[in-house]
Amino acid sequence: MRLKTLHCPRCGAEVELDRKHGEARCSYCGTRSYAENHKPEQTVVVKAHPSLWIAIALAVAGMFAAGAWFTGESVATAPPVVPAVVGAVETRVPVVEAPKPPKITIEIQDYTPARLVDSDGDGQDELLLPIERNEGGTRSDHFALYALPSGERLRETAAVAGPQSALIAVASRRLVLARRDGQLEAYDLASGDVQWNSALGERVAALCEGPRDTIHVTTDDARELEVDLLTGRQTPVRTPCKLPLAVSSGRHEPSDRRDYRAPHGMAAFTCGSVRVMGSQDYVVPDACRTHFKIDSDRLEGMVGHAIWAYSAGHLVFGVRTPGTYVPSVGLLERGKWKWKSEVPASNPLQADTGGPRQVQLHRHSLLIGYKASGQQYLTRFDADTGQRSWTQQLASAPVALLQRDDCVIVHMRGSVLTLMPSGDPIASISSLED
């Protein structure tokens, strides 16, 4: 006799055979099964009720139908299976990062003063500044145009070679450079492109104003030329330089006593006579006496260093006298002071002595820079009344003072400060990264 474990044919649970009645009843699903003996040994055969076989057949048929549907759906939607390759070596593609763009730094230069120019003919002046561009360690010189009063950089010229040693002038929306090797070069300020390059065969002594769309050039060998600013064509002329825009170092004519700090077209002269000695020996008379009939040494309380014709009188720049030579300014009318003031706003004895050096006049707004106790200052007077409106401390000595109706511009070493006419700061242009 071999023992076998009996299981319910319907649910698979273990059942116990009732030997007395020859049947087994499933305690889980209630199915009755019957036992049958076989020869040569007693074998227990479990038979299910006929109704159970019908249920099982239907269930199996349903499972086959469901399996067929699932298999078809899987074949349609499942991705293809790629058989694994035994011994294959995994290859990794290195990720290459895109190179970073080079760092660009713009630095304000001071080898030539800033200028106000209408580069595009819209009637609004922009600020022209010398800059140095450092792109990934490669340096180049340019001239950049900035919007005012915001200080936004608009555009710049192509790279300029060696502008520090060149004579630089602006005329008819052209930036003109006269190089030491006798080359004359012009840049179009509207586009920044090189307009033309012309060889003079001689160094330039002075760049001067010329007729419309020309610039007058005086060379070291005393040739006088008119150069067309559109083409660079040279034309010899007999007329000498009348109004210098840039003069070579050491070539300033001693008899020229004009004060070029004054607005264009204003009669302005430096005072005092000059004796010239050398191959020629002569005396240049006092231009203030000659042109204005004013004795700058005999003014009440001041010695005049420069006099400008202004309104119905004359603006006088000089030093206080007697006593310490504090920088002073005043308006003289019919031989009497309409107003007179020391330039420093406070502690005049701490100011550097000597006449005002940085002076700029726009309409009736008079700007004067001065130094006191080691600090640089800018002060503003009303040229008509002498009323001081404000004083502003500066980061460094001004290279150029400029004014428009809506702003004041101070070009300093490495930076530019723009102010409201009231003296309140608007913007600062300094070294920056693009």
Side-chain angles (χ1 to χ4, degrees):
M1 185 70 139
R2 187 172 59 185
L3 297 178
K4 290 185 178 181
T5 303
L6 302 180
H7 297 274
C8 175
R10 184 175 184 182
C11 67
E14 290 187 6
V15 296
E16 184 178 352
L17 179 65
D18 184 353
R19 294 183 179 276
K20 182 178 179 179
H21 298 93
E23 66 177 14
R25 181 181 178 85
C26 180
S27 61
Y28 291 93
C29 64
T31 302
R32 288 185 177 183
S33 304
Y34 300 94
E36 185 177 76
N37 292 329
H38 294 272
K39 300 174 183 180
E41 57 183 340
Q42 295 181 346
T43 303
V44 179
V45 179
V46 179
K47 291 186 178 181
H49 193 273
S51 62
L52 178 62
W53 290 114
I54 297 173
I56 292 173
L58 292 175
V60 170
M63 291 174 63
F64 273 107
W69 174 85
F70 179 76
T71 303
E73 186 72 15
S74 300
V75 170
T77 60
V81 178
V82 179
V85 179
V86 179
V89 179
E90 181 181 2
T91 303
R92 295 195 178 189
V93 179
V95 178
V96 180
E97 294 185 0
K100 295 182 179 179
K103 180 180 177 181
I104 300 176
T105 303
I106 304 296
E107 295 183 0
I108 305 298
Q109 303 297 299
D110 59 358
Y111 53 80
T112 188
R115 295 166 170 85
L116 290 176
V117 297
D118 180 7
S119 64
D120 48 14
D122 63 354
Q124 288 291 326
D125 286 337
E126 299 91 29
L127 183 66
L128 181 67
L129 279 174
I131 65 169
E132 182 185 78
R133 171 185 282 268
N134 186 339
E135 186 169 354
T138 302
R139 297 178 179 271
S140 57
D141 292 298
H142 304 259
F143 284 82
L145 286 157
Y146 291 81
L148 293 172
S150 66
E152 176 189 1
R153 185 158 54 93
L154 302 175
R155 56 190 174 277
E156 61 188 49
T157 66
V160 180
Q164 296 86 348
S165 59
L167 289 185
I168 301 171
V170 174
S172 298
R173 300 177 205 156
R174 299 288 187 273
L175 176 69
V176 181
L177 285 84
R179 306 188 184 281
R180 290 188 174 182
D181 60 0
Q183 293 291 318
L184 205 63
E185 193 171 50
Y187 292 79
D188 180 11
L189 291 178
S191 65
D193 299 331
V194 178
Q195 193 73 9
W196 48 262
N197 192 301
S198 181
L200 298 175
E202 185 68 27
R203 288 185 180 177
V204 173
L207 296 174
C208 308
E209 280 194 350
R212 181 178 177 83
D213 292 333
T214 67
I215 191 167
H216 187 104
V217 178
T218 301
T219 67
D220 268 356
D221 61 358
R223 284 192 299 154
E224 306 291 344
L225 304 170
E226 281 183 6
V227 179
D228 190 308
L229 287 169
L230 301 179
T231 64
R233 183 172 58 87
Q234 305 172 21
T235 303
V237 294
R238 293 179 178 273
T239 57
C241 171
K242 294 182 179 179
L243 186 60
L245 300 175
V247 178
S248 178
S249 176
R251 289 303 302 252
H252 181 72
E253 174 58 45
S255 61
D256 183 6
R257 304 294 290 164
R258 286 172 294 187
D259 190 347
Y260 291 102
R261 299 175 301 174
H264 181 71
M266 175 181 285
F269 298 90
T270 56
C271 302
S273 61
V274 177
R275 185 177 183 87
V276 179
M277 301 178 67
S279 59
Q280 300 181 30
D281 189 354
Y282 61 95
V283 174
V284 179
D286 187 340
C288 295
R289 288 187 183 184
T290 303
H291 294 276
F292 299 136
K293 312 304 180 187
I294 297 174
D295 187 346
S296 59
D297 293 327
R298 297 182 180 274
L299 299 172
E300 181 184 357
M302 187 193 297
V303 172
H305 292 176
I307 299 179
W308 299 359
Y310 175 77
S311 186
H314 298 87
L315 283 171
V316 182
F317 306 93
V319 294
R320 183 183 68 183
T321 187
T324 305
Y325 288 163
V326 176
S328 301
V329 61
L331 179 60
L332 197 67
E333 288 188 352
R334 299 181 182 89
K336 295 184 179 180
W337 292 115
K338 182 177 180 181
W339 63 267
K340 178 166 64 73
S341 175
E342 295 168 342
V343 172
S346 61
N347 301 325
L349 295 181
Q350 295 180 0
D352 285 12
T353 58
R357 295 175 180 83
Q358 287 289 346
V359 179
Q360 210 278 334
L361 177 66
H362 176 69
R363 303 188 191 279
H364 62 86
S365 176
L366 179 62
L367 298 176
I368 303 179
Y370 68 95
K371 185 177 181 181
S373 300
Q375 299 293 327
Q376 298 288 338
Y377 295 91
L378 179 65
T379 191
R380 180 185 181 275
F381 292 95
D382 186 303
D384 295 325
T385 65
Q387 181 180 359
R388 188 195 305 267
S389 55
W390 50 263
T391 300
Q392 180 74 244
Q393 184 174 342
L394 304 177
S396 60
V399 178
L401 302 176
L402 302 167
Q403 293 188 81
R404 295 198 328 179
D405 290 341
D406 58 349
C407 64
V408 170
I409 306 104
V410 187
H411 178 198
M412 297 169 286
R413 184 177 183 181
S415 66
V416 173
L417 178 66
T418 57
L419 307 167
M420 296 283 288
S422 61
D424 297 323
I426 301 175
S428 178
I429 306 171
S430 57
S431 299
L432 55 90
E433 292 183 8
D434 267 353

